[in-house]
Structure formats: C-alpha cells, structure tokens
Amino acid sequence: MKFSIAFSLAALTGANAFVAPQSPVASSTQLAMSDYRTSVRDNVDVGSGGSPLYKSGGTARDLAEIWDNSSPVIVQGGSLRTWSFANPAIESVQVLLKTEGRPLDADVELWQGPDNTPHKMRVYVEDGALRTFNAVIGTPRGPNTVAIRNIGQLEFPLDAVVRPDRDDGLAAGIASVATRSETIQGGALRTYPFNPTVDSVAIILKTDGRPLNARIELLQGPNNNKQVVELYTEDGLDRPFFAIVETPGSGNVVRVVNTAPVEFPLYASVDAYRVGGDGDWADDGLMIGRSF
C-alpha cells in the first residue's frame, strides 16, 4: 500500500515537470502582436480615414510639386516640341500643360515608330492658369515620343511638362480615387454634376482592348465649355487614359461622350479627386439626381 502511494506521487510530480508555463508565452505573444500592429499603423496609416489624395490640399500640393520640381518647356504658338523616351521600362508619362491665364489650344500625340500614332488628343482650355491640363498616357514597349503642337496663335504660348510617371505617381493616385466604373456604349454620353466643394475630378477611360474614341467636356453653365479633350487611343486596354480636371467654382458638370460606333463601348470612372474646405465631407462630391 505504501509502495503504491509513493508511486502515484512520483507519477504526478513527473507529469507536472513537463507542463509548459502559460503566462510567459502569452505575454510574449501579446507583445509581438502589439509591436506588429504598431509598425503597420506607422507605415501605411491604418485607420487614418481615407486616401490622403482625397483630403483638402492633396491635389494642389501634388501638381504644384510637379511644376516646382520640373523645368517647363515653353511652346510658342504654331510651334512643335517633342520628348523622346528610349527606355522601354517607361510604361506611362505625365503630360501637364498650362498658360499664364490665356486660352490653351494644343494637339498631343504619341509616336511609336514611323507613321504610327497610337494615341492622340486635342486639348482646349479656356483659362490655362485656372484650369491646368493634367493627364497620364500609356507608353508601353518603347521607344516612344510625345509631340505637343501649340495650334494657337503666336500670342498664346503654353508651358509643358512631360516626364515619366512613377508607380506611385499621378496614375496611381487617380486609380485609388476613381474606383467606380460604368459602361458608355458607342454614341452615348454620361454627365456627372459636382457640387461646389469639389476642386478637381479624377477621370479614367479605357476599353476591353478595342479602340477608344471619346470627348470629355467640362461645362459650367449652359453650353459653356471650360475644357474640352477629344481623345483617340488605338488600344484602350493597353493605353488607358488618366486625367485630373480642375473644377473651381460652382455648377461644374463633366460630360463624357463615346464618339465611336455602337460596337466600341468604353468604361468610364469619374469621381471627385480633391474636396476643398476644412470640413470632413462624407459624400463623394457627386450631386444627387445625376442625369444620364
């Protein structure tokens, strides 16, 4: 009897010797998870509340930095300037145009090889200082050349900046905001009214690989075009169109017209890019009762 009791006590003592301590493991695990979450919040702003591009001042700061960090080229009225990119790693370029307050009228073309123009557009802006032209065009499979022709008179020069677009550049910022897409059939149009708090609008136009023919208009009042872009792209999937349209004032309406036949639909994403004012606007800037 004494031998059995002693054997039972020894067995219990040996079993307890192999039980792992619980508190230190739980404490180290909790500390590791706490450090991990803190590092993620510091790096990517988890829970910061929306994209930084959507906050007040985001667009103006980004575009102002581009103009400040670049050397604009003056394109006199009736003249042509070209920018060549021989590096095939450059898949898209930023095209920014402005004036000193005079009208802006220009042709922008992408040349790839002899007599090959896969992308071209006609740009008109009533006031090139109040509403600068900001776009990103695709340049896959270089070398590529961007040509800008000022088709205005000699009294209407313009400043141009053409430079490669980084992975976190304008195209990425536009894509992070303009997330909703809708189909515009050939010959149809869509209108997007915006309230006065919206300072700029992000636009993305693309297709499923077919040619893209479109007309983008910024209206302020009845039949009052403040900015017009006539766009052609050989392949709307390989070379989508990204743009930021500045919309100061009230009564701004963006109109997108698919000028192609019915066999060539396009996909349009139009959303508010920068909302002005000091308030935290919960809506997306689109006015209720959007007309189609």
Side-chain angles (χ1 to χ4, degrees), residues 47-113:
S48 58
S51 170
L53 295 173
Y54 195 73
K55 296 179 181 178
S56 176
T59 307
R61 182 173 63 255
D62 295 340
L63 297 178
E65 288 179 356
I66 293 178
W67 286 104
D68 293 339
N69 299 331
S70 304
S71 299
V73 176
I74 299 178
V75 184
Q76 300 292 341
S79 63
L80 170 70
R81 297 300 298 267
T82 60
W83 290 258
S84 297
F85 301 93
N87 188 354
I90 299 176
E91 297 184 351
S92 59
V93 297
Q94 303 171 359
V95 178
L96 285 75
L97 306 176
K98 72 174 183 179
T99 66
E100 295 180 351
R102 304 182 182 184
L104 188 154
D105 201 356
D107 281 335
V108 181
E109 295 182 349
L110 174 65
W111 298 343
Q112 189 178 45

Side-chain angles (χ1 to χ4, degrees), residues 4 6-7 21 35-36 46 51 54 107-108 113 115 124 134 137 150 188 205 215 224 226 235-236 247 261 280 288:
S4 60
F7 179 78
D35 292 342
Y36 172 75
V46 173
S51 170
Y54 195 73
D107 281 335
V108 181
D115 298 329
Y124 167 78
N134 318 287
I137 60 178
N150 187 348
L205 299 183
R215 179 183 174 95
N224 186 11
K226 298 297 184 180
D235 188 337
T247 57
D280 185 11
I288 298 177

Side-chain angles (χ1 to χ4, degrees), residues 133-138 170-172 174-175 203-205 239-244:
F133 175 75
N134 318 287
V136 178
I137 60 178
L170 281 182
I174 296 172
I203 300 176
I204 302 177
L205 299 183
R239 296 180 176 87
F241 177 72
F242 298 82
I244 299 175

Side-chain angles (χ1 to χ4, degrees), residues 26-44 46:
S27 176
S28 62
T29 304
Q30 183 177 3
L31 178 61
M33 289 299 296
S34 177
D35 292 342
Y36 172 75
R37 290 175 182 172
T38 303
S39 63
V40 170
R41 184 179 297 110
D42 293 341
N43 291 335
V44 297
V46 173

Side-chain angles (χ1 to χ4, degrees), residues 2 21 25 69 91 102-103 110 136 157 164 179 187 200 208 218 263:
K2 293 181 179 180
V25 173
N69 299 331
E91 297 184 351
R102 304 182 182 184
L110 174 65
V136 178
T179 56
S200 60
D208 56 0
L218 174 62
E263 296 84 5

Side-chain angles (χ1 to χ4, degrees), residues 124-174:
Y124 167 78
V125 182
E126 183 185 66
D127 188 337
L130 184 62
R131 300 176 182 87
T132 60
F133 175 75
N134 318 287
V136 178
I137 60 178
T139 57
R141 297 177 301 278
N144 295 275
T145 298
V146 176
I148 298 179
R149 184 186 299 274
N150 187 348
I151 59 178
Q153 301 297 324
L154 184 63
E155 297 81 8
F156 302 99
L158 62 87
D159 295 335
V161 170
V162 180
R163 69 175 196 173
D165 187 52
R166 305 185 307 272
D167 292 337
D168 57 347
L170 281 182
I174 296 172

Side-chain angles (χ1 to χ4, degrees), residues 162-229:
V162 180
R163 69 175 196 173
D165 187 52
R166 305 185 307 272
D167 292 337
D168 57 347
L170 281 182
I174 296 172
S176 67
V177 175
T179 56
R180 299 178 297 181
S181 178
E182 60 179 325
T183 303
I184 303 179
Q185 300 294 339
L189 63 88
R190 294 289 186 275
T191 57
Y192 305 85
F194 290 89
N195 59 46
T197 62
V198 177
D199 292 335
S200 60
V201 175
I203 300 176
I204 302 177
L205 299 183
K206 60 183 179 180
T207 66
D208 56 0
R210 309 181 193 188
L212 170 64
N213 288 273
R215 179 183 174 95
I216 304 172
E217 300 176 353
L218 174 62
L219 306 174
Q220 195 174 35
N223 298 323
N224 186 11
N225 289 327
K226 298 297 184 180
Q227 182 170 339
V228 180
V229 179

